[in-house]
């Protein structure tokens, strides 16, 4: 249920909630160099970001953003400005990979508060045949209680490598990266205590970066190094239901291509 995003402590405190991308391509300095050039002041986040630590060239994944426009309209305007044709052609898209980093960077420009969900992009899909400690598939994002919420990347096993068969969804792995900076962003001790209670923790120091986050094999779209968690029956049925739905739609599309009549009403869509 996407409404769970409105219960996220970071969103409730700041009015904006973003998701981390995967941790990929260490040693990239263009992002933090750009921020240091354009921002005379910045929040507590950029200095502890993966950009600043040079462990990833990706910070935000913009497939889902949550913004209370009545509270954070100015921050959103900063993001919109960075995506204007002039700005994106000359600057933004030459530094960033598309629009995704322009959300939190736009907020930094306006000095508006924002929060990230605590975990980095993980993976949902199937076990790697030659390594049961590795899960391969699409990019997964968790809610503030560490539960699978949504994924990005479609249904194919590895579309970037041309492996265009549908996944058999059965497992997931978190991308790691529990962040202590959430408390600095929210500046709300009561809300932080509620979040810690939800997670069964006693101190915000327990939210610090784990000693070693799981590592991506980008070419294979696989993640290894974290706990491999089986999907519940309900989660697996839901995820694989999209595969079954896709198969039906593809079959109908092939019929249309052969000039055959297709009646969508013949399908029992609720039970596919």
């Amino acid at each position: 249920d996407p409404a769970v995003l409105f219960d996220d402590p970071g969103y409730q405190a700041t009015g904006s909630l973003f998701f981390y991308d995967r941790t990929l391509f260490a040693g990239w300095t263009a992002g933090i160099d750009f921020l240091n050039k354009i921002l005379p002041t910045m929040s507590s986040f950029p200095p502890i970001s993966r950009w600043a630590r040079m462990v990833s060239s990706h910070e935000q994944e913009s497939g889902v953003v949550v913004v209370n426009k009545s509270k954070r309209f100015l921050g959103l305007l900063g993001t919109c400005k960075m995506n204007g044709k002039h700005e994106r052609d000359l600057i933004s898209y030459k530094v960033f990979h598309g629009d995704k980093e322009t959300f939190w960077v736009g907020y930094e420009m306006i000095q508006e508060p924002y929060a990230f969900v605590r975990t980095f992009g993980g993976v949902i899909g199937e076990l790697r045949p030659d390594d049961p400690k590795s899960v391969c598939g699409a990019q997964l994002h968790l809610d503030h209680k560490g539960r699978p919420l949504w994924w990005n990347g479609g249904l194919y096993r590895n579309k970037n490598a041309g492996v265009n068969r549908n996944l058999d969804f059965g497992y997931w792995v978190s991308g790691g990266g529990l962040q202590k900076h959430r408390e600095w962003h929210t500046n709300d001790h009561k809300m932080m205590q509620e979040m810690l209670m939800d997670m069964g923790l006693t101190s915000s120091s327990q939210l610090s970066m784990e000693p070693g986050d799981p590592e991506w094999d980008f070419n294979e779209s696989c993640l290894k190094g974290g706990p491999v968690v089986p999907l519940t029956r309900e989660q697996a049925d839901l995820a694989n239901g999209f595969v079954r739905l896709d198969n039906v739609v593809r079959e109908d599309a092939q019929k249309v291509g052969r000039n055959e009549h297709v009646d969508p009403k013949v399908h029992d869509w609720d039970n596919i």
Side-chain angles (χ1 to χ4, degrees):
D1 183 356
V4 72
L5 293 169
F6 298 127
D7 297 328
D8 187 285
Y11 173 76
Q12 292 182 355
T14 67
S16 292
L17 183 68
F18 304 140
F19 286 86
Y20 286 113
D21 206 331
R22 296 165 294 179
T23 302
L24 292 170
F25 313 130
W28 188 74
T29 62
I32 195 64
D33 289 346
F34 175 73
L35 292 188
N36 288 330
K37 289 178 181 178
I38 68 167
L39 297 180
T41 61
M42 60 183 70
S43 75
S44 60
F45 173 62
I48 64 168
S49 67
R50 290 174 294 174
W51 278 9
R53 293 181 288 113
M54 292 186 291
V55 298
S56 180
S57 66
H58 297 270
E59 201 67 59
Q60 183 178 347
E61 135 85 292
S62 60
V64 171
V65 297
V66 190
V67 177
N68 183 333
K69 290 182 284 187
S70 65
K71 293 178 63 176
R72 296 294 164 242
F73 185 66
L74 292 179
L76 196 56
L77 283 181
T79 296
C80 291
K81 183 62 175 175
M82 295 192 73
N83 284 279
K85 180 170 175 52
H86 180 77
E87 289 78 10
R88 70 176 185 246
D89 289 348
L90 290 181
I91 301 174
S92 302
Y93 290 13
K94 289 186 177 181
V95 179
F96 313 135
H97 183 70
D99 72 327
K100 60 196 193 71
E101 312 293 357
T102 65
F103 285 88
W104 69 275
V105 173
Y107 274 60
E108 288 286 345
M109 291 171 56
I110 306 298
Q111 297 190 19
E112 285 270 81
Y114 58 92
F116 276 91
V117 171
R118 292 188 300 272
T119 49
F120 299 148
V123 67
I124 183 172
E126 56 195 48
L127 296 178
R128 189 167 183 166
D130 58 349
D131 186 357
K133 295 183 179 180
S134 181
V135 175
C136 307
Q139 182 179 177
L140 174 70
H141 296 282
L142 311 179
D143 66 15
H144 67 286
K145 293 187 177 182
R147 301 170 300 191
L149 181 61
W150 65 280
W151 80 79
N152 191 359
L155 303 174
Y156 285 158
R157 165 61 185 81
N158 188 355
K159 65 179 183 180
N160 293 324
V163 184
N164 295 334
R165 67 166 178 82
N166 284 327
L167 282 160
D168 180 11
F169 291 95
Y171 299 88
W172 63 274
V173 173
S174 167
L178 292 178
Q179 291 292 316
K180 188 176 180 179
H181 75 258
R182 168 60 69 81
E183 186 172 20
W184 303 339
H185 271 291
T186 62
N187 197 28
D188 188 325
H189 182 72
K190 179 181 178 182
M191 194 166 291
M192 173 56 66
Q193 292 302 314
E194 292 175 354
M195 184 182 75
L196 293 172
M197 290 178 64
D198 284 342
M199 299 183 67
L201 304 177
T202 58
S203 170
S204 61
S205 64
Q206 295 171 282
L207 293 176
S208 60
M209 185 72 69
E210 296 97 331
D213 289 326
E215 295 185 1
W216 279 94
D217 181 339
F218 178 73
N219 292 330
E220 293 294 329
S221 191
C222 299
L223 186 61
K224 179 179 180 179
V228 175
V229 185
L231 293 173
T232 66
R233 176 176 295 181
E234 181 181 8
Q235 291 168 341
D237 285 346
L238 179 62
N240 289 304
F242 287 109
V243 173
R244 295 191 294 271
L245 181 62
D246 182 66
N247 289 334
V248 171
V249 172
R250 286 175 180 274
E251 290 174 2
D252 282 356
Q254 291 174 356
K255 292 178 181 178
V256 171
R258 297 192 297 266
N259 294 320
E260 298 178 16
H261 174 69
V262 172
D263 182 4
K265 295 180 180 179
V266 303
H267 300 302
D268 183 4
W269 296 107
D270 291 333
N271 294 301
I272 288 178

